[in-house]
Amino acid sequence: MQHIIKGNEPQELTDWKRQNPSGTYDDLRIERRIIRQSCLDEQKYLCAYCCELIELDNGKSHNEHIKPRKRYPQLSLDYNNIVASCESNKNCKSNKHCGRKKDNADIPFTPLMPACEIELEFTYSGRVRGLTQPAKDTINILNLNNSVLMKKRKRSILNLITVHYGIDGNNPPHLTNEDPKLLNLLKNELKQAKNGKLYSFAPILVNIIHHT
């Protein structure tokens, strides 16, 4: 995860709520897309949970309620409760992850908490482990260690190391021997969005460097 700082809700949502005081999230139409665009801008186009690069349309993302709207209807239109999540394989139960896996469950650990960048620890294999019980429970609820997602993370991590930064990625633990100044430079570059977007899984490599 990367820590998400929520901004002001889109003006279109504010106007809609003013005009529809008894309205619910189910009543929204084009406003849903506007909400998702605003969330993607905040998240630099990365999934709120797994940090995979996602898109606005083409079934690549959805509006995700951190507190499930079916259980917390009073929060269904609260912009601070909405993030953009990826669309994992809906037809394969074992590969579901992130928002589609969470469904109506509560998670004790969210991307709105600054600790999400500290209490989750990633490895070069693409696996993530929780350093606290809430973090461990959240990993399980979101299925963040399913094999498909782990392979994507591993491939992206090695690609970022070797292709973009010229560091030896054939033997990832070698990263621990790199010049700290180079690692800090790498970390800072990974945090810089290009055209409003970060590299897919970039915060994961930042996490690895942090724990190196």
Side-chain angles (χ1 to χ4, degrees), residues 1 47-51 64 66 83 85 98-99 102 107 111 142 144:
M1 291 184 190
C47 171
Y49 298 131
C50 72
C51 291
E64 160 70 6
I66 295 176
V83 293
S85 178
C98 298
K102 181 176 79 65
I107 52 175
L142 298 177
L144 294 181

Side-chain angles (χ1 to χ4, degrees), residues 1-205:
M1 291 184 190
Q2 64 169 334
H3 179 216
I4 297 171
I5 299 175
K6 298 294 292 181
N8 295 328
E9 68 181 18
Q11 187 61 45
E12 292 85 351
L13 177 59
T14 301
D15 294 342
W16 187 91
K17 289 194 292 187
R18 186 181 300 115
Q19 296 164 10
N20 301 272
S22 299
T24 67
Y25 184 84
D26 288 332
D27 299 322
L28 296 176
R29 294 295 178 265
I30 187 62
E31 294 83 7
R32 293 191 186 196
R33 188 174 187 275
I34 293 171
I35 291 170
R36 188 159 65 255
Q37 179 65 71
S38 182
C39 290
L40 287 171
D41 289 338
E42 291 174 343
Q43 298 166 210
K44 298 179 177 61
Y45 281 77
L46 299 186
C47 171
Y49 298 131
C50 72
C51 291
E52 182 174 13
L53 186 66
I54 53 179
E55 300 173 13
L56 176 64
D57 297 315
N58 300 321
K60 298 296 184 180
S61 63
H62 68 273
N63 290 350
E64 160 70 6
H65 289 76
I66 295 176
K67 290 286 188 182
R69 58 192 175 96
K70 289 186 178 180
R71 297 178 59 192
Y72 302 89
Q74 74 277 17
L75 297 177
S76 69
L77 291 173
D78 185 346
Y79 180 68
N80 290 316
N81 187 48
I82 304 173
V83 293
S85 178
C86 63
E87 288 281 19
S88 57
N89 193 332
K90 301 177 185 179
N91 300 316
C92 182
K93 185 176 180 179
S94 63
N95 288 336
K96 275 187 180 181
H97 55 81
C98 298
R100 291 306 181 193
K101 177 64 176 178
K102 181 176 79 65
D103 196 20
N104 293 316
D106 273 318
I107 52 175
F109 198 74
T110 82
L112 303 186
M113 301 174 179
C116 73
E117 295 186 349
I118 300 172
E119 295 180 23
L120 295 177
E121 185 176 61
F122 291 85
T123 68
Y124 297 101
S125 69
R127 178 171 291 277
V128 57
R129 70 185 187 95
L131 303 182
T132 62
Q133 193 57 51
K136 292 176 183 177
D137 292 342
T138 300
I139 289 170
N140 290 333
I141 293 170
L142 298 177
N143 196 23
L144 294 181
N145 275 327
N146 83 78
S147 60
V148 172
L149 186 54
M150 284 175 58
K151 288 178 181 177
K152 286 183 179 180
R153 282 198 294 250
K154 179 180 179 179
R155 184 166 59 246
S156 181
I157 289 167
L158 295 182
N159 182 64
L160 286 170
I161 291 174
T162 59
V163 176
H164 293 285
Y165 301 100
I167 297 174
D168 181 12
N170 294 318
N171 182 25
H174 181 64
L175 199 61
T176 59
N177 297 325
E178 291 294 336
D179 184 340
K181 291 183 179 179
L182 176 61
L183 292 181
N184 281 330
L185 178 62
L186 169 56
K187 196 161 56 170
N188 290 333
E189 288 185 359
L190 288 168
K191 293 179 180 180
Q192 300 302 312
K194 295 185 177 180
N195 298 318
K197 300 179 181 180
L198 290 175
Y199 287 116
S200 191
F201 299 114
I204 307 306
L205 183 51

